[in-house]
Amino acid sequence: MVRIFAFLSFAVLFPVILPAQSISIGSVADKFLRLQQLNGQLDPSISFTVRPLSVGNIIDSGGSTTNARFASLYNTKVQKFFTSGRLSLLPVSLAQQFNSHHPYGWNDGGMIAAKGYQTMMSAGVFAALGPLEIQVQPEFVFAANPSYERTGLYGNTGSSYAQIFPGQSKIALNFFSLTAGVSTQNLWWGPGIHSSLLMSNNAPGFLHGFVGSQHPLKTPIGSFEWQLIGAKLTANATGYENFHLLTQTFRGARYLNAYVLSYQPKWIKGLFVGMTRGLQRYRADIDKSGTSLINKYIPVLTKALQKENAQADDTMRTDQLASFFMRWHLPKAKTEFYIEYGFNDYNQNVRDYLMGPTHSAAYIVGAKKIVELGGSRYLDLGLEMTQMSQSPEAMVREAGNWYTHGQISEGYTNENQIIGAGAGLGTNVQTFTATWIDGIKQLGIILERVDRDPQYHTFKWVDFSFGILPQWQRGKMILSGKLQFIHSSQYAWQKDINRFNLHSRLAVQYLF
């Protein structure tokens, strides 16, 4: 106990300060770093299950090859001001997206589910003075959002959309491995690459206070990464992704309390295990949780994972999600395997969890393999499956679709977009990618099958797609794209109604 107290006192009195501008979720740099770890060029204790990562920690933990390449695709030049401060311009980003027939695509932050053209622009600055860090990186989104073919089960009329978000902004104080502050950044929790059950960049970033680790905390039994947040969730007048883009009643702002914990055992290198949990309720109901500040604002740490009083718990306007995950990185084989398994509601007791493990469950499972081709060239192979529809157990015990709950009419959303797996309500997705990589240059293919909410429809709406994924750099400009050709079989669950959709995306990033 004395040693723990001494350590905490030292951390407060003598903070270690690193330049820690954040690496945006889904950016070129974010994807590059995971590949570098598979190639053995990055600290193997970084789990990639608690993101965003920070520039300072990557430079400290990466090898010389990683640092050189990282500097070539991300702004790591820091200007000094005063005596101990730092100031830098963040990359300017412009993303453009187009759908020819109906909405398609996810993990695009502030962009909405829409037909036609839309764009998102972002720029900002990062400053650090002592333990204080400020990152201002707003985002502007515009979508033409014209009307598209819809039915009583899917879609809305659509209208022009424009919005300015605080984007990837934060204010933080850092002490050794700890960081705390206020942010509107997108978060990604869990090992998935294309989807995450509880936290992804599918929706706009939301206002949240946070405390957690800024890099892996190494201990005698292994390393830990964690984050605890308290957040405000909002809605707007457009359709809800978790209700097939139909409109829903808006009952007010919500409060989300959530955490993620990842552990890397000292005795099994490359293995990461952990869990995530989120609990939301309407802000108007916070005072009904008792007088304790912990019960009001950190219920995710105090509320049991099973029902304590079934009748009373079901009458509270509270919803929770939880998941358990594993990522196993095999450096010599340049391979990784991962799985996330979650539940969208309480079970009655421990026996109920054991007897009905698939009740209210969803999962993500995937693998990635690097095949060396000589020199700096290699092939990146990836496979991921996301299962969101209910299991056959629903025939005798209904659990409802993920991201919906009778007590929270808006479901697990921010600005009407799902915070977790963004493919849509009750959707199953299988994705295969094969990418040729030479430094920053890339050319890949993507094969994808999207089975949309098969549980509740007689006619199955399935999207089959093939696409190409180019990326290249010219000077200080990096361009990455996606061109996806989609065949929608029995579109909107209509018998023998097939449609073609073109989904394209072009992102441009300028480095200072």
Side-chain angles (χ1 to χ4, degrees), residues 214-226:
Q214 63 169 329
H215 58 77
L217 174 61
K218 298 182 179 181
T219 73
I221 62 171
S223 60
F224 293 86
E225 295 173 77
W226 61 282

Side-chain angles (χ1 to χ4, degrees), residues 203-278:
F206 45 78
L207 177 64
H208 63 276
F210 67 90
V211 60
S213 58
Q214 63 169 329
H215 58 77
L217 174 61
K218 298 182 179 181
T219 73
I221 62 171
S223 60
F224 293 86
E225 295 173 77
W226 61 282
Q227 191 171 58
L228 173 68
I229 67 168
K232 177 183 178 181
L233 304 179
T234 58
N236 59 50
T238 63
Y240 282 76
E241 286 185 349
N242 60 332
F243 290 102
H244 301 317
L245 303 182
L246 303 176
T247 57
Q248 294 290 318
T249 302
F250 173 50
R251 296 197 293 187
R254 289 155 287 135
Y255 175 71
L256 172 68
N257 182 213
Y259 70 78
V260 58
L261 173 65
S262 176
Y263 168 54
Q264 198 274 305
K266 176 181 178 180
W267 306 275
I268 310 176
K269 292 185 178 181
L271 176 66
F272 304 90
V273 295
M275 72 171 293
T276 64
R277 188 186 183 197

Side-chain angles (χ1 to χ4, degrees), residues 104 432 444-449 463-469 482-487 500-503:
Y104 191 92
F432 170 78
I445 62 170
I446 179 170
L447 303 175
E448 199 160 59
R449 179 183 182 271
D463 293 330
F464 301 92
S465 71
F466 168 81
I468 57 175
L469 307 169
K482 175 191 284 188
L483 184 63
Q484 212 165 352
F485 306 93
I486 305 157
H487 172 73
F500 171 79
N501 191 23
L502 174 66
H503 171 73

Side-chain angles (χ1 to χ4, degrees), residues 390-405:
Q390 292 193 67
S391 70
E393 187 190 39
M395 298 175 64
V396 295
R397 186 184 181 192
E398 174 72 22
N401 264 319
W402 261 66
Y403 308 128
T404 64
H405 196 279

Side-chain angles (χ1 to χ4, degrees), residues 224-425:
F224 293 86
E225 295 173 77
W226 61 282
Q227 191 171 58
L228 173 68
I229 67 168
K232 177 183 178 181
L233 304 179
T234 58
N236 59 50
T238 63
Y240 282 76
E241 286 185 349
N242 60 332
F243 290 102
H244 301 317
L245 303 182
L246 303 176
T247 57
Q248 294 290 318
T249 302
F250 173 50
R251 296 197 293 187
R254 289 155 287 135
Y255 175 71
L256 172 68
N257 182 213
Y259 70 78
V260 58
L261 173 65
S262 176
Y263 168 54
Q264 198 274 305
K266 176 181 178 180
W267 306 275
I268 310 176
K269 292 185 178 181
L271 176 66
F272 304 90
V273 295
M275 72 171 293
T276 64
R277 188 186 183 197
L279 189 150
Q280 65 166 327
R281 55 175 52 130
Y282 289 103
R283 297 182 70 192
D285 293 338
I286 290 178
D287 289 335
K288 299 177 182 178
S289 305
T291 58
S292 168
L293 290 178
I294 293 179
N295 288 336
K296 284 183 177 181
Y297 297 104
I298 320 179
V300 76
L301 297 181
T302 61
K303 194 169 182 62
L305 287 168
Q306 65 185 46
K307 294 183 179 179
E308 298 171 310
N309 183 323
Q311 184 175 357
D313 286 350
D314 282 340
T315 60
M316 294 180 64
R317 296 200 302 177
T318 298
D319 184 25
Q320 81 154 341
L321 299 169
S323 75
F324 303 88
F325 61 79
M326 180 274 292
R327 176 177 178 245
W328 200 347
H329 166 220
L330 305 172
K332 291 184 179 180
K334 299 185 182 295
T335 302
E336 67 169 291
F337 303 95
Y338 56 88
I339 185 170
E340 184 178 13
Y341 196 91
F343 302 92
N344 77 341
D345 205 357
Y346 298 94
N347 279 27
Q348 298 290 339
N349 48 45
V350 175
R351 181 181 181 277
D352 194 14
Y353 280 108
L354 296 175
M355 298 299 292
T358 62
H359 176 67
S360 76
Y363 65 83
I364 297 169
V365 60
K368 183 180 278 288
K369 167 71 175 177
I370 284 180
V371 180
E372 295 180 333
L373 301 177
S376 63
R377 301 179 180 87
Y378 57 92
L379 188 65
D380 170 28
L381 303 175
L383 176 65
E384 183 173 294
M385 296 181 289
T386 301
Q387 187 80 10
M388 304 295 296
S389 66
Q390 292 193 67
S391 70
E393 187 190 39
M395 298 175 64
V396 295
R397 186 184 181 192
E398 174 72 22
N401 264 319
W402 261 66
Y403 308 128
T404 64
H405 196 279
Q407 307 303 318
I408 306 291
S409 63
E410 298 87 354
Y412 192 66
T413 63
N414 182 54
E415 289 295 303
N416 302 17
Q417 299 190 60
I418 296 171
I419 301 173
L425 176 65

Side-chain angles (χ1 to χ4, degrees), residues 138-196:
E139 297 169 341
F140 170 72
V141 177
F142 169 79
N145 196 25
S147 296
Y148 52 90
E149 185 178 356
R150 60 191 179 95
T151 69
L153 298 175
Y154 174 78
N156 55 67
T157 55
S159 61
S160 178
Y161 175 89
Q163 184 69 47
I164 297 176
F165 295 105
Q168 310 309 305
S169 302
K170 72 170 182 176
I171 301 175
L173 287 171
N174 301 322
F175 295 94
F176 277 99
S177 65
L178 299 180
T179 181
V182 178
S183 172
T184 57
Q185 291 178 303
N186 281 111
L187 309 173
W188 189 289
W189 294 351
I193 294 175
H194 301 285
S195 293
S196 174

